[in-house]
Amino acid sequence: MDPSAQGGDMIMRMMAKNSMSENLQVKIDEAVKKISCEGYEKALKQISDNREAIDRIVEVLCEKETITGDEFRSLLS
């Protein structure tokens, strides 16, 4: 096969891989943004709902640097 034809085939394959429509790209971006925003809101709620326990854990970790699983669970209760 002619080397120049092989190069053309490669370009066509690359273009086919990158031929996602702009509309599809927008839909994907919107879906990713929605998932990210929902996750962020859930994380903020968890932090807010558990602020006292988090503060206790931070205080102990500042003193000791490490805690066991049992110590962690006792701080949560």
Side-chain angles (χ1 to χ4, degrees):
M1 178 180 265
D2 179 23
S4 63
Q6 287 178 333
D9 289 342
M10 180 182 289
I11 291 171
M12 292 303 288
R13 284 194 302 269
M14 289 172 54
M15 288 174 61
K17 287 181 182 178
N18 295 323
S19 65
M20 188 184 329
S21 73
E22 187 174 330
N23 187 33
L24 180 58
Q25 289 176 353
V26 168
K27 287 180 180 180
I28 291 170
D29 289 345
E30 288 171 353
V32 169
K33 183 175 181 178
K34 180 181 179 214
I35 292 167
S36 296
C37 288
E38 288 172 358
Y40 179 77
E41 293 300 322
K42 286 181 183 180
L44 284 179
K45 182 169 178 8
Q46 288 293 321
I47 291 169
S48 177
D49 291 349
N50 297 291
R51 186 61 199 220
E52 290 178 23
I54 293 170
D55 288 343
R56 286 194 305 269
I57 292 167
V58 168
E59 187 176 313
V60 171
L61 285 173
C62 284
E63 294 171 10
K64 297 173 69 172
E65 291 189 22
T66 60
I67 57 176
T68 66
D70 289 336
E71 289 172 311
F72 180 80
R73 284 184 285 282
S74 73
L75 289 167
L76 291 178
S77 55

